[in-house]
DNA sequence: ATCCACATTTAGACTTAGTCTAACCACCCA
DNA sequence: TGGGTGGTTAGACTAAGTCTAAATGTGGAT
């Protein structure tokens, strides 16, 4: 994994202590966390960080292309460090799983008359089958 | 269009004046309205209806299968009287358009290992091209 | 090393979507 | 006529997110 400081600098972001702490967590996670979950996670290592800074930082990262904000569930937006095209499966438990772009194909998108499609993804609802039986 | 009173009765819902007023709008609209937009629209005909009743009614309709609640954009859930499978295009303007189920195909969903998919749709972002040029 | 302009952070007020509560109303039937 | 039940209501409450204005930190010029 690349150094958070370097990544921020490459994107024209001053690597303050707070921003680096947020980046260390949110750019590597697979949790698709809400802003408040990011706050909780980051506070574990930087207890003095404020809620406003977490929101500021997440919005800045989205603006600079380091994160995507996703509206997949009611109640809160969720952040995704995977900015490449991919699909999502929203587990009944609330967890969100990435589905690689090439695992499913969407056909005839380009033939849709009357619309100019800038972006798309398949959003699935379901459950993750328990990986192999536990016993 | 079927009678709202009949539809409610068939779904085991007492057709009170307020519920019928909400149904008259929300079961026929193509706007994908938020709860507060429903309130605005219904108040035009039934000015004394309360916000709580609108929320209660929409949640009841969802529970009874008359409506779907969709989390497609940040800021609010929207309601959709089209409960058959279909896709959505979220216009940059904020408008949401239905895309018929058979206009695009999603392949290999059933071959996804480790997940049990209960439901899915394609969510597109883009713009509606001005229907023919205006002049 | 010091200074300063500017960027960053901060607490807490504010806004808005949505839920909850407890009183109130309307209808049905004894 | 008096409950009992349903439905409705205003307004309190919660929670996600933004905004403000003050405090603090920082890098570069001197
Ligand atoms: Mn909410
Ligand atoms: Mn909000
Ligand atoms: Zn993802
Ligand atoms: Zn729809």
């Amino acid at each position: 994994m690349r150094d958070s400081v370097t990544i921020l600098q490459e994107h024209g972001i001053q690597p303050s202590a707070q921003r680096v702490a947020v980046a260390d967590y949110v750019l590597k996670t697979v949790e698709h966390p809400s802003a408040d979950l990011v706050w909780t996670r980051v506070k574990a290592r930087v207890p003095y960080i404020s809620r406003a800074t977490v929101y500021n930082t997440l919005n800045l990262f989205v603006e600079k292309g380091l994160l995507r904000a996703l509206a997949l569930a009611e109640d809160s937006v969720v952040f995704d460090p995977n900015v490449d095209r991919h699909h999502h499966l929203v587990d009944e438990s609330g967890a969100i799983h990435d589905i690689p772009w090439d695992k499913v194909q969407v056909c005839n998108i380009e033939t849709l008359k009357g619309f100019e499609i800038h972006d798309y993804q398949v959003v699935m609802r379901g459950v993750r089958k328990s990986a192999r039986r536990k016993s």
Side-chain angles (χ1 to χ4, degrees), chain A residues 19-95:
Chain A
R19 285 170 177 172
V20 171
V22 172
D24 278 344
Y25 165 65
V26 84
L27 297 186
K28 296 169 174 56
T29 187
V30 92
E31 289 193 282
H32 296 86
S34 67
D36 276 294
L37 181 58
V38 174
W39 192 31
T40 300
R41 293 278 185 270
V42 173
K43 266 193 301 191
R45 298 164 107 277
V46 183
Y48 53 82
I49 194 172
S50 75
R51 211 172 71 102
T53 295
V54 170
Y55 274 92
N56 288 344
T57 301
L58 291 171
N59 290 339
L60 178 66
F61 287 3
V62 169
E63 194 185 315
K64 298 295 189 177
L66 284 170
L67 285 182
R68 255 199 235 306
L70 304 171
L72 290 175
E74 317 185 1
D75 292 339
S76 79
V77 166
V78 111
F79 295 90
D80 192 341
N82 183 352
V83 295
D84 299 324
R85 315 179 107 188
H86 63 288
H87 307 291
H88 286 100
L89 183 137
V90 182
D91 197 285
E92 241 120 70
S93 71

